[in-house]
Amino acid sequence: MQNLIFSNQVQAAVEQSAARGNHNMTVWIADANTANFLPESAVNVITIPDGDAAKSLPTVCRVWDEMQRLGVTRHSLVINLGGGMVTDLGGFAAATFKRGVRFINVPTTLLGAVDAAVGGKTGFNYGGLKNEVGAFAPASDVIISTRYFDTLPASEMKSGFAEVIKHSMLSDRTEFLRLLDHDFTAPIDHDDLLERLRRSVQVKVDIVGHDPHEHGEREALNLGHTAGHAFEALALQRGTPVPHGYAVAWGLVTEAVLSHLRLGFSSDDVHRLGAFVRDNYRDFPFTCDDYDELLQLMRHDKKSRNGEITCTLLEAIGNYRLGQTVDCDDMTAALDILRDHLGL
Amino acid sequence: MQNLIFSNQVQAAVEQSAARGNHNMTVWIADANTANFLPESAVNVITIPDGDAAKSLPTVCRVWDEMQRLGVTRHSLVINLGGGMVTDLGGFAAATFKRGVRFINVPTTLLGAVDAAVGGKTGFNYGGLKNEVGAFAPASDVIISTRYFDTLPASEMKSGFAEVIKHSMLSDRTEFLRLLDHDFTAPIDHDDLLERLRRSVQVKVDIVGHDPHEHGEREALNLGHTAGHAFEALALQRGTPVPHGYAVAWGLVTEAVLSHLRLGFSSDDVHRLGAFVRDNYRDFPFTCDDYDELLQLMRHDKKSRNGEITCTLLEAIGNYRLGQTVDCDDMTAALDILRDHLGL
């Protein structure tokens, strides 16, 4: 299983993790941005371009080529320093080079820390599809800190925070309510945020532990994502992409509304969530003219079965139900109510 | 774990394996030769070039592209029909497409049946190195038959048989002696050969089961391969490649001699093995002028530690010792004695 280390003493944590193996070499993988965070002691560095467009086979080949040039063996250690793109792609390259080199993830974004870096999904985009090629290959260690977040744009903090809220909705109402008090304009309280991350990541780890290869319970993590992916995909098609977590935030409200309509989920909680999303993720770029296209996208979601819209829904915070099929009328009603919540 | 099915009723076995999943589509992968063995019912077929030169990233991409075109999903089934190149490459492509599609191996060569198709090693050649990129990803089922062997060239039968002998040396002296009675000029006795395969593959499965990711005991399967890989590599460098199993056969004699010198392995068994290899794998294309280069290659073997030659050796048939370092004098002596056994 994965070792999770929550610490803002990143260098010490990395050294401790590295010392747990008898490695002949340590190689860092960073992107053009996160290269700034490399420690001075990093000698062997593979730098890749940043951004989702570079999450591609040519970049994977560049990493394999550099690994060969540096003489990486099965006894070497790879450290991925970056957001989800670096940990997904670097993890795949390490997991497949010589059929597997040990790797550690050091996520530098909130979204990476609570989502991509943990749980073993690696891969890259191929043939126009996101994460079309990849492997389930957990990092041996994930070192989670908040020390890189001070320079993150507010939109990236918010984007990651949507996944933190999602995890609380799957597990713990006290934590959920506490998160809704978060103020993105205040300076980061590192100790408090690290504690929030610890709780959030544990939710994912518990679910993934029961279902590492996504045959069942892992689908719980899809909460908010059936609607969320449709928002994200439609915005991308139009050339006006939205951050992943914004789409998830809107998706969470949509699916909380559906949970209320279908499973009696508390309307108080829907309203609390709706107010938080209205205050922090307002710029929802869709109207009722987009419903047909959104429903179409939801029917083609990866998790969809036989062309039916399928969601994870909640009876209550912490009590989820997988594989709920939703008809178009209910989804349309939920989208209307979402727009009400956002004040549009 | 892997289901192993030993049957010459291949089509029925495939249908039974396929029926164990609720698949939306079945896709066959074959190479230019094994496409002849496809059943008429095979509708979705991906054909790749044959030969080790095609065990490359462009061929992997061709498979991924076709999988996309055919609409393969995580609920599809891939059937690899071919020798080690097809099962290694097809297995990797399936294991990484959408992070993993179920696949079945149907090996068509003796070497594939007793070695490549079983045990979960997949991959392709990259950057000039064999199997440089890959994954440990076992086929869900392996259907082992002898029905494709009637048309195999004698050199391919002999090549695979060397691995069968190796497995017997790791496990069972009665089986070892029985195998040394084999007559390659006689027509194949399918029932008997299938029983030999069953015993042989079980040896590999038992060892791999204790060490799927090659951290320890799996090194037992390296018997004969430290010397064998050096023979194979030198022949390749010279542009006069030898079949893998021939190099292994010579390597088995070399390491049996070392086992006698170092661990008191029975000289009778060395002589019996030597005689069989002399009779069937005679064309040994090296002289004492090649020893320096061969020793050099052995020091750079994947399994070598700190530049020392490392072998799996035997105290007796069925009683192996891993990670035995061998000095150059002993190896030189063993090569001399190998040449004596071969009558050169």
Side-chain angles (χ1 to χ4, degrees), chain A residues 57 60-62 64-65 68 72 74-75 88 92 95-100 120-124 126-129 131-136 213-215 302, chain B residues 57 60-62 64-65 68 72 74-75 88 92 95-100 120-124 126-129 131-136 213-215 302:
Chain A
L57 184 56
V60 175
C61 288
R62 185 157 149 183
W64 285 333
D65 292 342
Q68 277 194 329
V72 168
R74 267 203 210 160
H75 304 289
D88 278 11
F92 180 79
T96 52
F97 189 72
K98 294 184 190 286
R99 294 202 194 92
K121 285 191 183 181
T122 69
F124 59 92
Y126 186 82
L129 292 173
N131 303 319
E132 179 77 339
V133 174
F136 288 101
H213 292 170
E214 203 164 33
H215 296 308
K302 262 198 289 202
Chain B
L57 185 56
V60 175
C61 287
R62 185 157 148 184
W64 285 333
D65 292 342
Q68 277 194 329
V72 168
R74 268 203 210 159
H75 303 290
D88 278 12
F92 180 80
T96 53
F97 190 72
K98 295 184 189 288
R99 294 199 195 93
K121 286 191 181 180
T122 69
F124 59 92
Y126 186 81
L129 293 173
N131 302 320
E132 179 77 339
V133 174
F136 288 101
H213 292 171
E214 203 165 35
H215 296 309
K302 259 195 293 199

Side-chain angles (χ1 to χ4, degrees), chain A residues 105-161:
Chain A
N105 285 341
V106 184
T108 57
T109 65
L110 178 54
L111 186 58
V114 296
D115 193 12
V118 176
K121 285 191 183 181
T122 69
F124 59 92
N125 307 329
Y126 186 82
L129 292 173
K130 284 178 77 81
N131 303 319
E132 179 77 339
V133 174
F136 288 101
S140 75
D141 299 47
V142 186
I143 296 166
I144 294 170
S145 83
T146 62
R147 62 169 279 192
Y148 305 107
F149 299 173
D150 286 320
T151 54
L152 274 189
S155 62
E156 284 216 35
M157 282 300 286
K158 291 181 184 177
S159 188
F161 206 81

